[in-house]
Amino acid sequence: MDVNMLSYHETMSREGVVLYYNGPISQGVVEGVGDMMRRKMVLEENGMLLAQKVFSVLVEQMQNVICYARDICTPTACMGTGQIMVGRSGEQFYVACGNPVSRKREDRIRERIDTVNGMTREELKAYYKEQRRKGPDEDSCGAGLGFIEMARKASRPLQYRFDPIDDDTSFFAVKVHV
Amino acid sequence: MSSLKHLQVEATKSSPAIDFNPETHNLSLRGESYPENCSRFYAPVFDWLREYLSVSQNQPMTLEMEIVYFNSSSSKTFMDLFDMLDAAAQAGKSVCVRWRYDEENETALECGEEFQEDVQHINFELVSVAA
């Protein structure tokens, strides 16, 4: 066997990665992985509030991957490809995800994240409520509230980056410290 | 009253149990809410409610919500639902929404408070439920 799974395992453990998934993401994965992570955190007595925050950010991120990657879409279900990661350092947890996105969407995503990163808790709450009453943007496939929700659960500004893959596609990654 | 049926849908891992009874005027949503396609999942609920409001006239109704977790799309959907009930309440219907939350789940309480702040005519109650 050429694949050195042990070396992946050791690298991840050393870096405090609790969960790592790379591959197709469907609603079934959101439900299974999200619920498993939440249960594990509750069983390890990380507290209900922290477990719910990690679960919530995971669900928003994985549903974004499905929504915006849409590798395979039938009338009843969609699937995207991406990575998700939950890591821990001491009492702190972070949730990160990465997935290819169309370069046309880059500016809009930057603008959304920069907007929420510049807001205080109270401003975020007001913005969330205001956007909740508005219809979502044309390019949004959910309610357009995902990044606001993540920012409200986060203890620091959201970190993100885009790495160009080719003329049409970038790799988008976002990391949320809860 | 009319042909409006008792709406009952079983819960799944990511969608709540629905029990809307037009005879007792008790409606409830219980469980988790992060379905793959929120507007598709809740479309029958909105259709039912529109018809119910047009035929039930001024009889008092209660909606119990006991939602462990909901995603951001569901949040928008619930706001639309409460806005619809708020309009009915403004027009004279007695509408009570009971937002039931696990006393250990601070997030669920906060979410209930944020909906409560955003409605005007509904009697919106926050009810703590022992874990």
Side-chain angles (χ1 to χ4, degrees):
Chain A
M1 179 172 167
D2 293 335
V3 182
N4 192 343
M5 297 304 277
L6 178 62
S7 110
Y8 290 156
H9 174 74
E10 286 175 343
T11 306
M12 295 287 169
S13 305
R14 202 165 46 237
E15 293 184 5
V17 176
V18 186
L19 167 77
Y20 178 72
Y21 180 98
N22 182 29
I25 300 180
S26 64
Q27 175 69 9
V29 173
V30 177
E31 292 171 9
V33 170
D35 190 47
M36 173 190 65
M37 192 63 220
R38 180 169 54 178
R39 276 173 207 269
K40 176 181 156 71
M41 288 189 70
V42 170
L43 289 173
E44 291 177 349
E45 299 188 343
N46 291 292
M48 177 93 150
L49 185 61
L50 192 55
Q52 286 285 17
K53 279 185 182 176
V54 166
F55 176 76
S56 167
V57 175
L58 259 178
V59 171
E60 295 295 336
Q61 288 189 351
M62 287 192 278
Q63 289 188 327
N64 269 355
V65 172
I66 298 174
C67 220
Y68 296 117
R70 289 173 178 266
D71 296 342
I72 300 170
C73 236
T74 69
T76 52
C78 282
M79 191 186 287
T81 297
Q83 288 171 303
I84 52 174
M85 189 186 270
V86 178
R88 154 174 217 169
S89 61
E91 298 298 299
Q92 297 270 312
F93 282 83
Y94 65 82
V95 184
C97 86
N99 58 285
V101 295
S102 158
R103 291 187 78 165
K104 285 184 221 133
R105 295 189 41 82
E106 237 185 89
D107 289 344
R108 188 72 192 100
I109 296 172
R110 273 181 206 284
E111 188 190 319
R112 280 201 187 154
I113 301 181
D114 291 344
T115 301
V116 298
N117 274 350
M119 289 184 171
T120 64
R121 298 254 148 241
E122 279 308 304
E123 285 167 342
L124 278 170
K125 178 180 166 178
Y127 186 51
Y128 179 82
K129 286 177 151 203
E130 178 196 315
Q131 294 297 312
R132 179 158 76 178
R133 273 247 166 76
K134 280 190 186 166
D137 289 356
E138 269 172 42
D139 71 337
S140 179
C141 79
L145 298 170
F147 289 127
I148 315 176
E149 181 77 52
M150 289 181 216
R152 295 190 72 189
K153 299 284 189 282
S155 58
R156 298 189 221 168
L158 311 188
Q159 294 173 297
Y160 67 92
R161 59 184 284 168
F162 289 94
D163 292 291
I165 297 174
D166 57 38
D167 289 346
D168 303 320
T169 322
S170 295
F171 198 83
F172 166 63
V174 61
K175 185 176 181 185
V176 180
H177 293 268
V178 297
Chain B
M1 95 181 198
S2 88
S3 59
L4 192 57
K5 290 202 182 84
H6 187 169
L7 178 68
Q8 287 173 294
V9 178
E10 279 185 37
T12 72
K13 207 159 192 167
S14 61
S15 61
I18 301 171
D19 192 310
F20 282 13
N21 188 335
E23 302 300 325
T24 61
H25 307 280
N26 288 322
L27 283 43
S28 74
L29 292 175
R30 285 172 207 276
E32 309 252 3
S33 184
Y34 56 106
E36 168 152 35
N37 185 326
C38 207
S39 45
R40 187 165 57 215
F41 178 79
Y42 284 101
V45 168
F46 281 89
D47 290 344
W48 190 96
L49 208 57
R50 258 186 290 274
E51 193 180 344
Y52 171 78
L53 291 173
S54 73
V55 298
S56 71
Q57 301 182 342
N58 284 341
Q59 290 167 88
M61 61 159 285
T62 301
L63 169 63
E64 289 212 328
M65 303 274 295
E66 191 167 340
I67 303 291
V68 183
Y69 162 77
F70 55 93
N71 67 350
S72 58
S73 300
S74 300
S75 171
K76 161 94 183 122
T77 303
F78 293 163
M79 195 70 247
D80 292 346
L81 188 77
F82 297 145
D83 279 342
M84 191 190 238
L85 294 178
D86 211 39
Q90 185 174 20
K93 191 177 181 67
S94 161
V95 179
C96 178
V97 172
R98 280 203 196 102
W99 182 268
R100 295 162 58 87
Y101 63 94
D102 177 341
E103 63 187 12
E104 287 181 14
N105 189 346
E106 291 169 52
T107 314
L109 169 60
E110 271 176 25
C111 293
E113 287 170 346
E114 289 184 10
F115 283 121
Q116 190 182 43
E117 289 162 11
D118 279 6
V119 295
Q120 294 188 335
H121 308 281
I122 297 173
N123 175 20
F124 198 106
E125 297 174 358
L126 299 168
V127 183
S128 147
V129 180

